[in-house]
């Protein structure tokens, strides 16, 4: 492999950002941050504890109750959101390098993240200016109108896959709505989150609106979720963590938005455009190193084309370029962390007894052995996987796919719905009637017909069953971060029973 690329001016220590200042943990706690290509420590980060979360929530509360942000007119907030988008786009090259270095994602796939993050801010800038609320009239009798107002301090907890872009998904609507925030980024990948403070300062966001506390879920995340002055939690991550957060939010009856795990089916019918389906289902599970919640990690194929599909799919999977994330030719990079690598490899071993291995099944043969040479997994394809297999049922979150045949539409639907998850689904068919009926019968929050994960920001994003709670995207995000207060005005005579008269 070529000499390992390290971005210029890489910080060696990452601090929290609280009330407009970069600070260490009050108790001095730190943790080590690894680079996935060598699995060695490149930086330390301040490790947030309850005291640090308390300080961040106090700063956010002060900014919400006494600062200008929640009281600014939508256009004034939108100007700052657009300035944030400009500042994000200006960081594109640096961000891509940092994101690739910190996550192990291929550089070509990290490149678009700044554009997508910037678009989130532009989109919500437009939305808040165009926002209108209901007025409901009973002529001559009553007028009711909705007074929408930001709820308060939002706790945002984000994952380590495409971290910067997923942080923007929460930061843009929460800030646009007039809330103030405390962000707890994933401990595996805190590097790109450290860019937000400079971006927000440069754009003129008032002090205290944005606060960041690095640290672990068990300490910083737990304290944020349980804090009595944080009425909202937006969480993206794993389903069992989501259940724990749900329990911990109950004490204070907090609002919750949760986008959790997935085991999304890609259903390929015999009448599909097979070339397009193969391209898309390969990209759908092996892009972003397979570390994506909406990955089409179960491919269900109609039996008449099953042999051709599996053969062609496996051949392509063997040709996928695995290697240094900074090499533009790389299609699958290094997994984020040794801990995650062990999890993915344990599923690869389980799969060898649950399916027919057609490609991959371990480290790529052309790369040196050993964790000091990076957490690499060759794109792994299992065929003939039974629906009760663990690799069919459980989220692996890596470059591993299970392929299963079906005989008719009913069996395809039964297999598609046969997991605890329900985030996304992909359907490949040229039969228009079947496409719509099948899509509407799948238990998934989002369905793509004849494409992979191409998203319009106006649409709801979220899952059903173990894949989530609530939806984000478009006005649904604004609804989550605001209270819709009903104000009733009487226009006529009121007839009230006169108790005790």
């Amino acid at each position: 492999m070529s000499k390992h690329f390290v971005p210029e001016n890489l910080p060696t220590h990452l601090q929290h950002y609280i009330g407009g200042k970069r600070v260490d943990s009050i108790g001095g706690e730190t943790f080590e941050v690894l680079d996935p290509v060598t699995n060695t420590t490149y930086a330390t980060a301040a490790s947030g504890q309850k005291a640090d979360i308390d300080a961040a929530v106090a700063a956010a509360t002060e900014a919400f109750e006494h600062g200008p942000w929640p009281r600014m007119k939508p256009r004034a907030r939108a100007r700052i959101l657009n300035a944030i988008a400009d500042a994000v786009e200006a960081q594109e090259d640096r961000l891509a390098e940092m994101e690739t270095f910190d996550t192990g994602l291929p550089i070509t796939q990290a490149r678009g993240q700044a554009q997508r993050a910037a678009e989130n801010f532009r989109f919500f800038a437009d939305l808040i200016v165009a926002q209108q609320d209901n007025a409901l009239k009973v002529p001559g009798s009553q007028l009711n109108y909705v007074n929408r107002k930001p709820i308060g301090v939002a706790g945002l907890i984000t994952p380590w896959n495409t971290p910067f872009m997923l942080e923007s998904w929460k930061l843009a609507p929460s800030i646009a709505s007039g809330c103030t925030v405390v962000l707890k980024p994933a401990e595996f990948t805190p590097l790109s989150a450290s860019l937000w403070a400079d971006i927000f300062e440069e754009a003129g966001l008032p002090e205290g609106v944005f606060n960041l506390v690095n640290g672990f879920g068990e300490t910083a995340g737990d304290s944020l979720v349980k804090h009595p002055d944080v009425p909202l939690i937006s969480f993206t991550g794993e389903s069992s963590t989501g259940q724990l957060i749900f329990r911990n939010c109950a004490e204070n009856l907090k609002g919750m938005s949760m986008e959790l795990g997935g085991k999304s089916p890609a259903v390929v019918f015999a009448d599909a455009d097979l070339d397009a389906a193969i391209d898309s289902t390969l990209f759908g599970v092996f892009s972003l190193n397979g570390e994506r919640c909406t990955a089409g990690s179960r491919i269900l194929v109609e039996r008449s084309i099953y042999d051709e599909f599996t053969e062609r799919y496996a051949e392509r999977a063997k040709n996928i370029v695995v290697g240094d994330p900074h090499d533009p030719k790389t299609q699958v990079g290094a997994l984020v962390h040794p801990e995650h690598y062990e999890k993915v490899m344990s599923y690869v071993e389980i799969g060898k007894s649950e399916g027919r291995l057609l490609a991959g099944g371990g480290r790529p043969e052309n790369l040196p052995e050993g964790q000091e040479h990076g957490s690499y997994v060759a794109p792994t394809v299992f065929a003939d996987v039974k629906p009760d297999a663990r690799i069919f049922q459980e989220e692996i979150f890596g470059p591993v796919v299970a392929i299963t045949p079906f005989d008719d539409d009913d069996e395809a639907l039964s297999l598609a719905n046969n997991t605890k998850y329900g985030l996304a689904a992909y359907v490949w068919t040229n039969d228009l009637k079947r496409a719509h009926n099948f899509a509407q019968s799948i238990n998934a929050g989002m369905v793509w017909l004849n494409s992979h994960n191409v998203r319009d920001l106006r649409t709801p994003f979220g899952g059903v069953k173990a894949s989530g709670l609530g939806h984000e995207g478009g006005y649904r995000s604004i609804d989550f971060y605001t209270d819709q207060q009903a104000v009733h005005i009487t226009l006529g005579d009121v007839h009230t029973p006169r108790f005790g008269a």
Side-chain angles (χ1 to χ4, degrees):
M1 285 177 73
S2 56
K3 185 175 183 298
H4 178 38
F5 175 85
V6 177
E8 283 179 14
N9 305 321
L10 199 63
T12 54
H13 180 60
L14 302 169
Q15 294 179 293
H16 310 308
Y17 183 74
I18 296 174
K21 295 181 178 60
R22 287 161 187 74
V23 293
D24 280 322
S25 288
I26 291 166
E29 297 87 354
T30 62
F31 63 94
E32 295 186 342
V33 190
L34 302 187
D35 134 38
V37 171
T38 61
N39 285 317
T40 53
T41 301
Y42 74 85
T44 55
S47 185
Q49 310 296 312
K50 183 176 183 299
D52 306 298
I53 290 290
D54 288 347
V57 173
T61 303
E62 174 64 25
F64 185 77
E65 290 180 353
H66 305 293
W69 188 249
R71 283 157 278 284
M72 283 165 70
K73 289 191 165 57
R75 173 66 71 193
R77 286 209 300 268
R79 281 201 182 97
I80 290 178
L81 294 169
N82 278 311
I84 291 167
D86 293 340
V88 168
E89 281 176 336
Q91 293 263 7
E92 177 156 31
D93 292 342
R94 170 121 179 109
L95 172 66
E97 286 178 356
M98 288 171 80
E99 202 76 310
T100 291
F101 181 81
D102 203 27
T103 62
L105 292 178
I107 186 75
T108 51
Q109 294 167 42
R111 282 242 160 78
Q113 303 299 326
Q115 298 290 340
R116 290 185 68 190
E119 180 53 31
N120 285 322
F121 283 93
R122 293 201 198 290
F123 175 81
F124 284 104
D126 291 344
L127 215 56
I128 56 169
V129 172
Q131 173 84 46
Q132 58 182 22
D133 286 311
N134 295 340
L136 309 153
K137 291 176 281 196
V138 183
S141 171
Q142 201 179 39
L143 168 67
N144 311 299
Y145 68 87
V146 175
N147 172 42
R148 187 185 286 271
K149 48 189 186 176
I151 290 180
V153 178
L156 313 178
I157 302 174
T158 51
W160 46 256
N161 58 326
T162 63
F164 189 84
M165 201 279 293
L166 289 176
E167 287 151 14
S168 77
W169 265 22
K170 299 185 189 304
L171 287 166
S174 56
I175 290 172
S177 300
C179 289
T180 59
V181 304
V182 177
L183 169 66
K184 204 295 282 181
E187 66 271 15
F188 285 172
T189 55
L191 182 60
S192 60
S194 67
L195 294 172
W196 286 116
D198 283 339
I199 287 167
F200 288 144
E201 282 179 14
E202 186 186 321
L205 189 72
E207 202 173 275
V209 175
F210 168 75
N211 303 274
L212 179 149
V213 178
N214 288 303
F216 293 87
E218 300 84 347
T219 45
D222 192 58
S223 300
L224 184 57
V225 167
K226 290 175 177 169
H227 201 294
D229 296 333
V230 178
L232 290 173
I233 296 290
S234 178
F235 170 74
T236 299
E238 201 248 336
S239 297
S240 57
T241 312
Q243 290 172 311
L244 179 65
I245 289 173
F246 201 143
R247 283 193 285 273
N248 288 335
C249 283
E251 185 67 29
N252 291 298
L253 298 173
K254 291 176 191 261
M256 277 178 296
S257 177
M258 295 209 262
E259 195 253 289
L260 306 175
K263 192 73 180 174
S264 300
V267 185
V268 184
F269 287 96
D271 68 344
D273 176 338
L274 200 55
D275 292 339
I278 287 171
D279 285 346
S280 185
T281 50
L282 280 158
F283 183 82
V285 74
F286 297 127
S287 59
L288 303 179
N289 299 349
E291 297 165 329
R292 61 189 306 160
C293 49
T294 53
S297 54
R298 295 182 296 137
I299 305 177
L300 312 175
V301 183
E302 194 163 353
R303 199 174 296 274
S304 62
I305 58 164
Y306 183 75
D307 290 343
E308 182 191 352
F309 182 94
T310 51
E311 193 178 316
R312 288 177 59 188
Y313 190 93
E315 208 45 54
R316 288 275 296 277
K318 288 175 191 166
N319 290 331
I320 289 172
V321 180
V322 185
D324 186 336
H326 291 279
D327 184 338
K329 293 190 198 70
T330 292
Q331 293 167 317
V332 171
L335 296 192
V336 69
H337 193 276
E339 213 175 278
H340 185 58
Y341 173 81
E342 293 304 328
K343 176 193 160 185
V344 172
M345 288 300 271
S346 73
Y347 276 109
V348 170
E349 289 311 308
I350 290 164
K352 289 174 183 175
S353 65
E354 291 188 332
R356 180 163 56 96
L357 180 67
L358 297 184
R363 281 181 78 90
E365 286 165 13
N366 61 319
L367 299 180
E369 286 290 329
Q371 281 292 278
E372 71 280 9
H373 299 298
S375 300
Y376 293 100
V377 176
T380 297
V381 180
F382 291 106
D384 312 343
V385 179
K386 298 278 187 290
D388 60 352
R390 287 184 64 189
I391 61 166
F392 187 97
Q393 291 290 339
E394 297 174 24
E395 184 176 43
I396 299 172
F397 219 66
V400 183
V401 69
I403 311 181
T404 302
F406 66 85
D407 287 306
D408 55 30
D409 290 35
D410 288 345
E411 187 185 9
L413 185 64
S414 162
L415 288 169
N417 287 338
N418 179 14
T419 71
K420 68 177 184 176
Y421 295 106
L423 188 58
Y426 308 88
V427 180
W428 287 86
T429 176
N430 281 318
D431 179 333
L432 193 63
K433 197 158 77 173
R434 169 199 273 153
H436 287 291
N437 287 327
F438 197 89
Q440 290 172 27
S441 302
I442 288 179
N443 294 329
M446 300 169 284
V447 182
W448 278 270
L449 296 175
N450 298 326
S451 82
H452 51 266
N453 191 341
V454 185
R455 178 144 180 268
D456 181 328
L457 291 178
R458 294 170 297 181
T459 58
F461 187 100
V464 297
K465 301 194 288 188
S467 288
L469 188 73
H471 289 94
E472 299 197 9
Y475 284 120
R476 290 165 185 82
S477 293
I478 303 280
D479 286 345
F480 177 67
Y481 293 107
T482 53
D483 267 325
Q484 295 175 59
Q485 178 190 50
V487 180
H488 302 267
I489 302 117
T490 298
L491 300 176
D493 296 332
V494 181
H495 300 287
T496 309
R498 301 184 62 219
F499 281 24

